[in-house]
Each structure stands twice: as structure tokens, then as C-alpha cells.
Amino acid sequence: MSGTTYQLSPVGRVQVDEDGFSLVIDPPFRDALMGLEGFSHINVLWWFDQLDAPEYRAITVSEKPYRDGPERLGMFATRSPVRPNPLALTPVPVISIDTAEGLVRIPFIDAEPGSPVLDIKPYHPAVDRIREVDVPEWCAGWPEWYEDSMTFDWGAVFENAQ
């Protein structure tokens, strides 16, 4: 490691309540939501805070995480929350935005309630979509599109799925 450290500060948190999922943006950052209306999707950068421990950050190889995958995979070849820096990126549809209250309603995010939101960026096809993508054979059967992921049996993908 380089020895250089960086400090990140959350701009908000993930909230789950009877109305569903929201990103609750802290008051100093609510003005940053201006102009986000009209984007159907956003990229949310958030921290896997529940798996942020030195022993998890030290893991660089996973033993057979995927049923059809190789026996060992480096963590950079997985979508695991166990990583040297437990940073997550999730594209999500936007239901509504209330800038005054700092609420961004979303249908779902693969984060836990209270997970720190580090940043939000608008999803834009010109910079976020790639026309031709190759993936290894072991994951070639996974959904090609985000929308298809919602009905895909992800439990069948993982080696240790219960």
C-alpha cells in the first residue's frame, strides 16, 4: 500500500421505512440535489459500513464465490462487499426528489438501512452505458440488463446460497 490515506464523509444515509427506500441527504448537501430532477436513474456511491473491519479489508481472494466460477477469484473480480475499501456503486431508478427535505425516493438499493451515502451522480447513457461488453464464461448467463436483475434468481449464482 502507498500509505496515503483519504478521508470520506457521508452526504446522507439509506433509509427504509413503510414507504420504501430513500436516500436521506444531510442539510449541508441538500442544495446539491438541484437539477437532478428529470434524470430517471442515479448512481449511488455508498459504504459497506457493516463489513468495514481490518480483517475484511485484508481479504484479497475469495474461495469459489460463484457456483459456475473458478475455484478462486480475486476480490476485484467479484461484487462482494468484502474489499480493501468497502465502497459500493449502485445504479437506481428515481421515484421522486424532495430537495427541501433532502429525500430521494428509490424503489430499492442493495444497502442496509443506515448505510452511509458518499455521493450521488446522475446516470447518463453517454458515460455510463457501454455497447459491447465481454464477461467471463462463468457469469455469461447472468442478466444482460439491470431491469432483468430484479427477477433473476441470484441465489442460484452463489456457491454458498442457502
Side-chain angles (χ1 to χ4, degrees), residues 66-125:
Y66 306 112
R67 285 197 177 128
D68 295 332
E71 291 301 314
R72 293 170 41 99
L73 276 176
M75 297 316 290
F76 296 153
T78 75
R79 302 286 297 192
S80 172
V82 175
R83 340 192 48 78
N85 290 301
L87 183 64
L89 169 65
T90 305
V92 295
V94 175
I95 296 172
S96 65
I97 299 172
D98 182 336
T99 301
E101 294 296 317
L103 280 177
V104 180
R105 293 261 178 223
I106 56 176
F108 177 78
I109 188 166
D110 56 343
E112 296 295 325
S115 292
V117 173
L118 300 176
D119 203 352
I120 296 172
K121 296 182 181 219
Y123 176 94
H124 197 287

Side-chain angles (χ1 to χ4, degrees), residues 19-74:
D19 294 325
F21 290 82
S22 297
L23 308 176
V24 180
I25 307 304
D26 295 337
F29 303 104
R30 290 180 181 170
D31 283 347
L33 294 170
M34 288 189 300
L36 201 56
E37 304 88 359
F39 285 97
S40 66
H41 291 73
I42 55 176
N43 285 316
V44 181
L45 289 105
W46 57 278
W47 200 257
F48 282 112
D49 61 314
Q50 294 184 9
L51 290 171
D52 187 2
E55 61 270 21
Y56 293 130
R57 286 177 171 236
I59 297 171
T60 59
V61 174
S62 179
E63 303 295 329
K64 187 102 173 134
Y66 306 112
R67 285 197 177 128
D68 295 332
E71 291 301 314
R72 293 170 41 99
L73 276 176

Side-chain angles (χ1 to χ4, degrees), residues 105-148:
R105 293 261 178 223
I106 56 176
F108 177 78
I109 188 166
D110 56 343
E112 296 295 325
S115 292
V117 173
L118 300 176
D119 203 352
I120 296 172
K121 296 182 181 219
Y123 176 94
H124 197 287
V127 294
D128 293 315
R129 185 171 59 188
I130 299 168
R131 188 182 331 267
E132 295 179 31
V133 177
D134 292 323
V135 297
E137 181 71 29
W138 56 266
C139 64
W142 296 7
E144 191 172 333
W145 298 100
Y146 173 84
E147 293 83 359
D148 297 337

